[in-house]
Amino acid sequence: MAASTSLSEYLIVVVSLLAISAIRSAVASIHTYHRDPFREVGSSFLVSGGSEGIVASTNATSFIQFQNITFLRSRAAADHHPIVSHSSGLVQIVLFEAADRDNIGGSPYGGQRSICCTPDLAKLEGCKQGEVIRIPSANDNKWPIVLNVHFSGRHMATHLKNTKIQITKTGMYNLFFISCDPELNGMTLSGRTVWKNPDGYLPGRMAPLMKFYVIMSLAYVLLCVIWFVQYVRFSNDVLHLQHWITIVIALGLFEMSLWYFEYAHFNKTGTRPVGITTWVVTIGAIRKTLSRLLILCVSMGYGVVRPTLGGFTAKVLLLGFTYFLASELLNITEYVGTINDISGRARVFLVLPEALLDAFLILWIFTSLSKTLEQLQVKRSSVKLDIYRKFSNALAVAVVASVSWIVYEVYFKATDPFNERWQSGWIISAFWDILALLLLCVICYLWAPSQSSQRYAYSEMGDEDEEEAQTLFSATQKGDINLVKLERRDSGEGTHGFDEEDEEGKRE
């Protein structure tokens, strides 16, 4: 019960920190630009304004709105035009659906594709030199949408009037701010765009996850209720291993609940609190780390075959700390401040350390599990051997499922480079939460608290005595344990069936 008290105090501290850090928020589905520089791509200069999946609506609830969009050029570029009233310098805002991506740009004579109209393309495509090449969509000649903004004379800044574009077709939309004028090199962009779905501000890829986290929270609540009933019922016989299982369950419930509230806030306001998101991913990293270490410790026989990890304690802790750092960096990169439906390139590099650590953990787990099974076979501990065989079978299924899913995930992303299947993309991340919950349920089932937990933990009984003891203790009330011990002692059974308390009593 001491572990439950300390866990409650920890949760109170975390909630308090969350309340403090929630004061600071960062925009998410509302994309904000703070003097973002235009980068050179071929013959053009551009800034990516965002990429999100949007579900169509007929009542004007799905839209992309431009607010306070300002372009600022250099003084040298402004002074290049002596006539104050003359329009000088063109910036174009290009919005297109992923299926129409080939309708932007062209390629002269089958060469390298160009965004801007070159002299050769002006002859071939009939485009206007110095502007973005736009080919009307076969489904709607209004798309892709191109908005033109001109600088005036020597003015250093120009603005786009607040504009709202209604979305009437479900798709993955991409926004770019582009200039084909080489004199506008060094230009910056400020302002913001608001991307709205019919049900809120959540990007299309994330919207299904809000309902998913409701279901996962309910699943963890059910597991918590079942586990804590047993935990409280047999509180005097709870093992250290079962304390750790309790902590992992509580962290899982806490994480799933916070994910739902974070997404609900995001969906309602269009802003994503950096503080809450950081704490959610941190709790998730802690939960993932403890879950893996729990599986490793169980595989090594901790709490059932051996009372401690012995000389492996420092190595397990070092591995856990390293895994936490790798997971934390990956989650922060993927979730904190994320404003697009397409993950950044940095995530690819951060996935590798976690993947390598997972591979090393799997190798260590199955090596340890093999040694534990061999030890139980030598001791003829058939009941424990049966439990560990079930556990090893569950782990094997989980590993096969994980590898298969990784192969599918690679195939999914390789065949969908432009995120056109974004509506089903949420399943990729949801699978890992489901798998973690199922493995946790298996551990809870195999090592559920019972009135014989303490006596059964490290016993060195033979095969027949062990099975008999389990039958006796499963059928005996908690208050009759000592009576059973006395009956066994009076019956003259071998001393090898006594636990550590019995041996100490004999010595006294």
Side-chain angles (χ1 to χ4, degrees):
M1 296 303 290
S4 299
T5 303
S6 60
L7 178 61
S8 301
E9 293 174 353
Y10 170 77
L11 293 178
I12 292 173
V13 172
V14 170
V15 171
S16 301
L17 290 173
L18 283 171
I20 296 172
S21 58
I23 297 174
R24 183 185 174 205
S25 297
V27 294
S29 196
I30 300 177
H31 297 242
T32 301
Y33 320 107
H34 297 285
R35 302 196 69 172
D36 294 0
F38 280 68
R39 58 188 179 89
E40 186 174 359
V41 178
S43 60
S44 64
F45 302 92
L46 60 82
V47 171
S48 175
S51 179
E52 290 187 11
I54 301 181
V55 179
S57 68
T58 56
N59 55 357
T61 56
S62 295
F63 58 81
I64 298 174
Q65 185 174 22
F66 298 86
Q67 297 179 349
N68 303 319
I69 298 297
T70 301
F71 303 98
L72 184 67
R73 62 180 172 177
S74 66
R75 171 57 66 184
D79 292 341
H80 185 266
H81 297 274
I83 304 176
V84 177
S85 61
H86 180 68
S87 294
S88 57
L90 172 65
V91 185
Q92 295 181 291
I93 296 94
V94 181
L95 178 65
F96 61 93
E97 201 266 325
D100 296 329
R101 58 187 175 274
D102 292 333
N103 292 60
I104 297 296
S107 177
Y109 311 111
Q112 185 177 1
R113 193 172 183 82
S114 173
I115 298 175
C116 296
C117 185
T118 62
D120 289 339
L121 284 170
K123 297 176 182 178
L124 293 174
E125 303 285 350
C127 56
K128 188 174 181 180
Q129 187 175 345
E131 295 186 3
V132 172
I133 302 171
R134 173 192 177 275
I135 303 172
S137 172
N139 299 321
D140 188 348
N141 59 8
K142 295 180 180 179
W143 287 85
I145 290 178
V146 177
L147 304 175
N148 295 333
V149 180
H150 290 272
F151 283 92
S152 179
R154 295 181 178 179
H155 292 171
M156 293 180 61
T158 187
H159 307 276
L160 172 68
K161 294 181 180 180
N162 290 348
T163 305
K164 181 185 291 186
I165 298 176
Q166 305 296 336
I167 303 300
T168 57
K169 177 187 175 184
T170 298
M172 173 63 66
Y173 287 86
N174 301 270
L175 174 65
F176 289 92
F177 300 89
I178 304 174
S179 174
C180 297
D181 189 345
E183 294 181 1
L184 294 181
N185 187 13
M187 185 171 52
T188 60
L189 166 68
S190 299
R192 70 177 192 171
T193 54
V194 178
W195 305 58
K196 179 82 165 46
N197 268 295
D199 297 328
Y201 292 96
L202 269 179
R205 177 178 55 87
M206 300 180 186
L209 287 172
M210 189 166 68
K211 296 179 181 178
F212 169 75
Y213 286 125
V214 172
I215 297 173
M216 289 296 293
S217 297
L218 293 176
Y220 270 99
V221 167
L222 179 60
L223 179 60
C224 274
V225 170
I226 296 174
W227 179 265
F228 276 100
V229 167
Q230 292 294 103
Y231 189 86
V232 173
R233 183 182 175 188
F234 304 106
S235 58
N236 294 332
D237 298 299
V238 172
L239 303 173
H240 290 295
L241 174 65
Q242 292 160 341
H243 290 317
W244 286 109
I245 295 175
T246 304
I247 293 174
V248 173
I249 295 173
L251 285 174
L253 174 59
F254 197 30
E255 180 192 2
M256 296 300 111
S257 301
L258 283 179
W259 271 124
Y260 166 73
F261 287 115
E262 195 262 357
Y263 274 34
H265 181 275
F266 183 6
N267 189 54
K268 182 178 180 180
T269 65
T271 60
R272 194 171 197 178
V274 169
I276 290 181
T277 308
T278 302
W279 277 106
V280 173
V281 299
T282 300
I283 291 170
I286 294 173
R287 192 265 306 167
K288 287 173 64 177
T289 302
L290 290 182
S291 297
R292 282 156 174 74
L293 294 186
L294 175 64
I295 294 173
L296 176 60
C297 291
V298 169
S299 301
M300 296 172 73
Y302 172 71
V304 178
V305 178
R306 55 195 300 178
T308 66
L309 296 178
F312 291 102
T313 302
K315 296 179 181 178
V316 170
L317 292 177
L318 178 60
L319 177 62
F321 179 72
T322 306
Y323 188 89
F324 168 76
L325 289 181
S327 180
E328 178 77 351
L329 289 174
L330 174 61
N331 290 341
I332 286 178
T333 302
E334 186 172 7
Y335 296 106
V336 177
T338 299
I339 60 176
N340 291 330
D341 263 341
I342 298 179
S343 301
R345 294 180 180 179
R347 184 182 183 277
V348 177
F349 297 100
L350 293 173
V351 164
L352 293 177
E354 184 175 348
L356 291 174
L357 288 171
D358 271 328
F360 178 75
L361 265 168
I362 291 173
L363 180 63
W364 194 358
I365 285 170
F366 277 97
T367 301
S368 301
L369 193 56
S370 176
K371 293 180 180 178
T372 302
L373 289 170
E374 182 179 353
Q375 182 181 359
L376 291 173
Q377 286 177 337
V378 171
K379 294 180 179 179
R380 300 175 60 206
S381 302
S382 62
V383 176
K384 292 180 185 177
L385 185 60
D386 181 62
I387 291 175
Y388 268 87
R389 279 175 175 166
K390 291 178 180 177
F391 179 62
S392 60
N393 291 337
L395 278 183
V397 171
V399 170
V400 171
S402 298
V403 173
S404 301
W405 193 258
I406 290 173
V407 172
Y408 171 74
E409 184 176 349
V410 172
Y411 167 79
F412 184 91
K413 293 183 177 181
T415 57
D416 187 32
F418 299 100
N419 262 18
E420 293 180 89
R421 297 201 297 268
W422 55 274
Q423 288 178 294
S424 58
W426 65 276
I427 302 175
I428 298 297
S429 59
F431 170 83
W432 301 108
D433 290 324
I434 295 173
L435 182 64
L437 176 60
L438 292 177
L439 267 179
L440 184 58
C441 289
V442 170
I443 293 176
C444 290
Y445 172 74
L446 294 177
W447 285 278
S450 65
Q451 66 186 66
S452 58
S453 296
Q454 288 289 350
R455 176 180 174 86
Y456 180 60
Y458 316 119
S459 64
E460 298 293 337
M461 297 179 180
D463 186 30
E464 296 179 358
D465 289 340
E466 188 177 42
E467 293 184 17
E468 182 182 357
Q470 187 188 34
T471 304
L472 286 171
F473 280 99
S474 63
T476 307
Q477 297 298 323
K478 181 178 176 181
D480 296 331
I481 291 179
N482 291 331
L483 178 60
V484 173
K485 290 180 180 179
L486 290 173
E487 288 177 355
R488 289 177 55 82
R489 196 173 292 176
D490 292 338
S491 64
E493 295 183 9
T495 57
H496 63 279
F498 297 146
D499 58 12
E500 292 179 3
E501 290 183 24
D502 293 328
E503 293 292 346
E504 290 177 2
K506 285 186 67 179
R507 288 195 294 270
E508 292 177 358

